[in-house]
């Protein structure tokens, strides 16, 4: 058995996504040849795949220390730092590799991916183009270029690049995913939905594609699409609250923004419920999504019934409480769509307080309390924005 045999086996095992077995091969090789540079580099990659970041970084530094003049050791170090989500260290290693060997397309791909971590989309596009100049048949580079162009707002060029990526590798889930992104950016949710379905056919466990497919299916609804566009255009900012004493007419703007958001959340609930009940799409939705959609629709129905009852009985408190119940759609949806667990807990608590205030307004027949519930419910979009700003990075 030659020393090349365990190294080749390790490479094959890495390609098969079996890093633990690759690690055993590489450690056996290093026991025979402790100074084997390539073995140290591949061992670093095998370790970071298993989540052993500190040990992987140590092995990468060992490889670079043994052969700083070899581009591959720097490339491997860049891979380790990238997978460990250390963009600054990854960039330094990648640039060192490119200084030694600028004609290796995968290094440009790694550079693009690293720049993507920090949202440097113009640099991502440039790195992808440099890589494609070396290897025009690389579907991953074409996909990265398309994704960068999508984020830069060049939807048509992004769609062309994504279509090229799909043409280069029709079996690439990433290429179809990026094509779906570009189609959404172009305002073509039907094509985007087809692309995301193809992603799920190729990789059924691709959760991001599942979420995007749901988004695309919802955007096929003209009402949902129009309300979502208006909501995005008239979001406003929490800082505008301080302008109200100086510019009272801004109150009308705030009311318009809040009502648009409420209408969009109602459309979200209705569209989700409709898709969750359809045979072709019901498996795309988890139980939580369906329950929240049912709750949102029920809040509208119960609130409308209370409003009608209040008008029929001449009870202003009951009618206003009905409007407040309908307004609860906003806090419920904002809570569910908050990524931070602590943020969700805060918003669920806020929703519970609003519900208690509505019940109190009915018991005490207090129109003022019910009206306060209406305003507070609709204004939850700014409460939620503040919660996400403070707790968005916390799990």
């Amino acid at each position: 058995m030659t020393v090349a045999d365990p190294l080749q086996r390790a490479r094959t095992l890495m390609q098969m996504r079996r890093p633990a077995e690759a690690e055993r091969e590489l450690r056996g090789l290093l026991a025979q040849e402790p100074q084997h540079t390539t073995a140290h580099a591949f061992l670093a990659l095998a370790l970071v795949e298993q989540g052993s970041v500190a040990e992987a970084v140590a092995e990468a530094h060992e490889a670079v220390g043994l052969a700083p003049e070899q581009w591959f050791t720097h490339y491997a170090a860049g891979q380790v730092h990238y997978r460990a989500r250390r963009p600054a260290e990854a960039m330094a290693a990648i640039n060192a590799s490119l200084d030694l060997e600028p004609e290796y397309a995968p290094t440009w791909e790694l550079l693009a991916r690293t720049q993507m971590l920090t949202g440097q989309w113009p640099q991502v596009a440039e790195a992808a183009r440099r890589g494609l100049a070396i290897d025009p048949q690389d579907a991953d580079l074409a996909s990265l270029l398309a994704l960068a162009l999508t984020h830069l707002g060049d939807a048509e060029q992004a769609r062309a690049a994504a279509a090229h990526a799909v043409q280069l590798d029709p079996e690439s889930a990433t290429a179809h995913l990026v094509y779906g992104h570009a189609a959404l950016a172009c305002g073509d949710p039907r094509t985007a939905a087809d692309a995301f379905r193809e992603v799920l056919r190729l990789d059924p466990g691709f959760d991001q594609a599942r979420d995007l497919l749901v988004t695309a299916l919802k955007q096929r609804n003209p009402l949902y699409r129009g309300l979502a566009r208006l909501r995005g255009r008239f979001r406003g900012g929490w800082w505008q609250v301080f302008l109200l004493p100086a510019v009272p007419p801004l109150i009308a703007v705030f009311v318009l923004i809040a009502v648009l958001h409420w209408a969009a959340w109602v459309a979200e609930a209705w569209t989700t419920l409709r898709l969750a009940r359809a045979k072709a799409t019901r498996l795309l939705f988890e139980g939580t999504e369906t329950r929240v959609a049912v709750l949102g629709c029920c809040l509208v129905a119960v609130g409308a019934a209370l409003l009608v009852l209040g008008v029929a009985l001449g009870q202003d408190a009951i009618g206003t409480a009905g409007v407040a119940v309908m307004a609860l759609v906003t806090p419920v949806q904002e809570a569910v769509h908050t990524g931070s667990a602590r943020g969700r807990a805060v918003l669920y608590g806020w929703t519970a307080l609003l519900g208690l205030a509505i019940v109190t307004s009915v018991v005490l027949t207090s129109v003022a309390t019910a009206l306060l519930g209406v305003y507070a419910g609709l204004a939850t979009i700014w409460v939620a924005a503040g919660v996400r700003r403070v707790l968005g990075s916390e799990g």
Side-chain angles (χ1 to χ4, degrees), residues 46-109:
L47 288 168
V48 80
E49 283 284 345
Q50 299 175 76
S52 302
V53 175
E55 196 175 357
V57 170
E59 287 293 335
H61 287 169
E62 179 71 15
V64 171
L66 289 170
E69 76 287 351
Q70 292 184 14
W71 67 268
F72 181 75
T73 60
H74 296 284
Y75 171 77
Q79 285 278 12
V80 168
H81 289 301
Y82 164 72
R83 296 181 192 187
R85 295 299 186 265
R86 297 178 172 183
E89 294 89 341
M91 287 291 295
I94 294 165
N95 287 329
S97 179
L98 287 171
D99 288 341
L100 294 166
E101 174 53 83
E103 296 301 314
Y104 187 59
T107 310
W108 291 105
E109 179 186 337

Side-chain angles (χ1 to χ4, degrees), residues 306-342:
L306 285 174
L307 175 60
V308 171
L309 180 63
V311 171
L313 297 177
Q315 295 289 328
D316 292 343
I318 294 177
T320 308
V323 178
V325 169
M326 288 191 282
L328 284 178
V329 172
T330 295
V332 167
Q333 291 278 28
E334 290 285 353
V336 171
H337 290 82
T338 296
S340 163
R342 290 182 62 186

Side-chain angles (χ1 to χ4, degrees), residues 226-241 243-244 249-266 327 330 334 374-383 385:
L227 287 171
R229 186 162 50 247
L230 285 172
R231 183 178 63 179
R233 182 177 302 172
F234 297 108
R235 177 168 291 277
W238 61 268
W239 54 269
Q240 292 179 355
V241 174
L243 297 178
L244 291 179
L250 273 180
I251 294 175
V253 175
F254 269 74
V255 171
L256 173 62
I257 293 171
V259 171
L260 284 173
H261 276 259
W262 176 84
W265 282 131
V266 172
T330 295
E334 290 285 353
V374 174
Y375 294 150
L378 293 175
T380 300
I381 58 173
W382 291 287
V383 176

